[in-house]
Amino acid sequence: MYISALRWNPVWTTTVLLVPFVVVLTAGFFYLYGVIVGLLSKTSVRNKVVVITDALSGLGKECAGLFHKGGARLILCGKSWEKLEELVDDLANASDPTVTFPPKLVLLDFGDMDSMPEAIAEILQCYGCLDILIFNSSMKVKAPAQTVSLEMDKLLMDNNYFGPVTLAKGVLPSMISRRSGHLLLVNSIQGKIAVPFRTAYAASKHAVQAFFDCLRAEVEEYGISVSTINHTFISRSASEASQEKTVLYTKKPLGVSPDEAATEIVKTLNNKRKEVVIAPSLPKVAIYARSFFPNVFFAVMAAGVNNPGVRSRPDE
């Protein structure tokens, strides 16, 4: 009777046969995707000089590991020499020394503008040139505008705007003379829209976004690419999965994981995409609403401030 039912129900039979095929096909697709991304990371950065600012952050370490295994000549920048050395040891232990280059280290603190000329000179002296510069560092402050001092405003602007801009201007002559190079800015989505209690932070992110958007057109004739990646925020690890209410969306996972962001950086470098937004649907809609329906956007932001159950994340 069971066999007879199968014969007389072709739809059910086809479904039973197709489900395992679809599962295997989907798993194979994701496996191939991972392999392709790994190959792209190697082919796009092998033997290239890659500078990573704030290499000690979660995303910085993820990029360092990915590019180091891909055969890049890394220049890792950070505020602590001891922690940079620890990172180099970790990279050496996780890679094959016969196909990788020992990273070079440079102390870099965007909050100390007086040290920037020396840091830029050291970066250029490491290999005499550079191919890729990833601007990864950021400083965040959450508070009502009237409670943030001007000193804090200036420190935010140094870290998020003047520091990256100074570094970009310092390496541009070298890139222009070689007529090649890629500048990639890892920026917040608040370079596109602004939410309450982020006045100075959003201002600094808007400023640096505008600088690199303008710069893109200026240096295109020299063969230099400029990319920006705007994310909601980088979570501490891929395992974080708790949820929380925000102004822009009711519930969401804690941002983009470092490995997801690093993968997006590799794809952006390889494809030379000019702009990438990593965010859920609602924040993307907010970007368009800010342009085409500003009054609606402002009303939503004000409602978020007035509703004590809706708040911004403390780390973004």
Side-chain angles (χ1 to χ4, degrees):
M1 182 180 295
Y2 177 72
I3 295 175
S4 176
L6 285 178
R7 288 175 180 173
W8 295 105
N9 195 340
V11 174
W12 189 87
T13 304
T14 303
T15 302
V16 170
L17 294 174
L18 280 178
V19 168
F21 175 76
V22 172
V23 171
V24 172
L25 184 64
T26 303
F29 171 79
F30 283 107
Y31 173 77
L32 288 176
Y33 176 79
V35 171
I36 291 172
V37 168
L39 291 175
L40 287 176
S41 68
K42 293 180 179 179
T43 57
S44 61
V45 302
R46 182 169 296 280
N47 293 320
K48 291 187 177 181
V49 179
V50 180
V51 180
I52 303 175
T53 68
D54 196 11
L56 299 174
S57 66
L59 176 57
K61 290 180 179 179
E62 193 70 33
C63 288
L66 196 60
F67 293 157
H68 183 64
K69 291 178 181 178
R73 302 173 188 265
L74 284 179
I75 302 175
L76 304 177
C77 304
K79 299 179 182 180
S80 170
W81 188 264
E82 292 75 15
K83 291 183 179 179
L84 285 172
E85 290 183 323
E86 291 176 5
L87 175 58
V88 170
D89 291 339
D90 293 339
L91 294 175
N93 294 332
S95 61
D96 182 355
T98 62
V99 294
T100 58
F101 300 93
K104 296 183 181 294
L105 309 179
V106 174
L107 284 176
L108 178 66
D109 182 1
F110 285 151
D112 182 9
M113 292 300 297
D114 292 335
S115 67
M116 288 298 297
E118 182 179 353
I120 293 171
E122 288 185 26
I123 289 172
L124 293 173
Q125 288 170 5
C126 286
Y127 289 103
C129 65
L130 65 153
D131 299 296
I132 298 170
L133 173 51
I134 300 174
F135 298 89
N136 171 50
S137 55
S138 181
M139 180 180 178
K140 306 176 182 71
V141 169
K142 174 194 173 184
Q146 69 274 15
T147 66
V148 181
S149 66
L150 284 177
E151 288 73 16
M152 180 57 69
D153 286 343
K154 292 176 181 177
L155 186 59
L156 274 168
M157 291 301 293
D158 282 346
N159 278 276
N160 297 345
Y161 176 72
F162 288 114
V165 166
T166 301
L167 179 55
K169 290 183 176 182
V171 303
L172 270 176
S174 174
M175 287 186 170
I176 290 174
S177 66
R178 299 174 65 237
R179 303 189 74 84
S180 69
H182 199 147
L183 302 175
L184 188 147
L185 172 70
V186 180
N187 199 22
S188 168
I189 197 171
Q190 292 189 54
K192 296 286 190 179
I193 54 176
V195 300
F197 307 114
R198 296 292 190 278
T199 49
Y201 176 69
S204 67
K205 291 301 182 180
H206 272 69
V208 75
Q209 182 78 31
F211 177 86
F212 280 90
D213 283 347
C214 292
L215 183 65
R216 181 184 297 115
E218 293 183 19
V219 300
E220 186 175 4
E221 64 176 304
Y222 302 111
I224 300 172
S225 301
V226 177
S227 302
T228 59
I229 295 181
N230 298 82
H231 57 79
T232 48
F233 58 96
I234 306 296
S235 60
R236 296 177 184 87
S237 68
S239 62
E240 287 185 324
S242 62
Q243 312 256 326
E244 133 172 43
K245 293 183 178 180
T246 67
V247 171
L248 289 180
Y249 23 91
T250 54
K251 285 187 176 182
K252 66 177 179 60
L254 290 178
V256 182
S257 66
D259 61 313
E260 290 173 327
T263 299
E264 194 63 50
I265 287 174
V266 170
K267 291 193 295 183
T268 302
L269 290 172
N270 188 67
N271 299 330
K272 295 187 176 180
R273 294 181 63 183
K274 294 178 173 61
E275 184 174 86
V276 176
V277 176
I278 311 175
S281 299
L282 200 51
K284 289 181 179 179
V285 170
I287 294 176
Y288 292 102
R290 173 64 180 85
S291 299
F292 298 106
F293 307 101
N295 289 336
V296 174
F297 176 82
F298 297 147
V300 172
M301 293 298 103
V305 172
N306 295 329
N307 184 354
V310 179
R311 54 192 174 86
S312 298
R313 276 188 49 84
D315 60 344
E316 174 57 36

